[in-house]
């Protein structure tokens, strides 16, 4: 997987490294070799929530990606995540699943997405 991980706050440089490691694991577990994702680490002034995902528009030209399909963008707020006793990696998995088409608009969708999150999270804990 090609990836861009960018911190919009200097204080999130440690989290940048963590996100890159997790994305490498997710690439291995989910087979995302020909995919591209952008992850932005932001503060409260940008958003006061844990994670937002924006899928890439269909057919949007990205000549810079040669052979890769852009999944979209994930925005994570590490400060908010920490303050709410959540896990940065788990929120990254959640955001990535949104880019892969998972949703939680209905109860059935929510159950499917939560199962997939837990399945991936469990595999990540035991992967090398």
């Amino acid at each position: 997987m090609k990836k861009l991980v960018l911190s919009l706050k200097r204080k999130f440089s440690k989290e940048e490294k963590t996100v890159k490691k997790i994305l490498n694991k997710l690439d291995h577990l989910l087979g995302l070799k020909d995919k591209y994702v952008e992850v932005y680490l932001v503060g409260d002034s940008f958003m006061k929530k844990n994670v937002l995902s924006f899928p890439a528009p269909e057919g949007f030209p990205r000549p810079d990606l040669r052979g890769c399909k852009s999944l979209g963008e994930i925005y994570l707020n590490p400060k908010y995540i920490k303050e709410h006793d959540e896990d940065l990696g788990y929120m990254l998995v959640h955001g990535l699943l949104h880019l892969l088409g998972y949703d939680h608009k209905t109860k059935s969708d929510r159950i499917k997405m939560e199962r997939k999150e837990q399945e991936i999270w469990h595999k990540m804990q035991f992967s090398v």
Side-chain angles (χ1 to χ4, degrees):
M1 170 191 329
K2 282 185 159 186
K3 57 196 155 295
L4 169 69
V5 179
L6 188 64
S7 175
L8 301 183
K9 294 277 187 182
R10 202 178 280 229
K11 64 183 176 182
F12 296 142
S13 61
K14 178 183 165 197
E15 286 83 356
E16 270 188 55
K17 292 176 186 172
T18 301
V19 167
K20 287 176 184 177
K21 285 181 186 178
I22 294 167
L23 285 172
N24 287 337
K25 280 188 172 187
L26 288 169
D27 181 12
H28 175 73
L29 287 172
L30 301 176
L32 301 172
K33 297 285 184 234
D34 61 341
K35 305 295 188 253
Y36 173 76
V37 67
E38 295 177 6
V39 179
Y40 296 94
L41 303 173
V42 301
D44 286 342
S45 62
F46 189 85
M47 67 178 201
K48 288 193 181 248
K49 57 186 318 179
N50 51 11
V51 61
L52 283 174
S53 298
F54 298 98
E58 283 297 318
F60 188 79
R62 288 295 306 259
D64 57 319
L65 296 183
R66 288 190 202 114
C68 281
K69 179 185 187 304
S70 178
L71 294 176
E73 302 171 354
I74 300 170
Y75 293 81
L76 295 166
N77 182 339
K79 180 179 178 253
Y80 183 97
I81 290 168
K82 185 176 182 178
E83 287 174 352
H84 289 83
D85 201 28
E86 297 171 329
D87 189 281
L88 182 71
Y90 200 86
M91 291 294 106
L92 179 59
V93 169
H94 182 86
L96 184 63
L97 285 178
H98 275 300
L99 298 184
L100 294 173
Y102 287 83
D103 206 325
H104 43 74
K105 289 181 181 173
T106 66
K107 184 177 180 178
S108 172
D109 289 340
R110 182 181 51 80
I111 291 168
K112 286 178 194 173
M113 186 170 185
E114 287 175 359
R115 282 186 183 148
K116 190 66 173 178
E117 285 171 346
Q118 291 168 6
E119 172 192 328
I120 291 169
W121 193 244
H122 179 76
K123 286 180 182 178
M124 283 181 58
Q125 305 309 306
F126 297 102
S127 69
V128 176

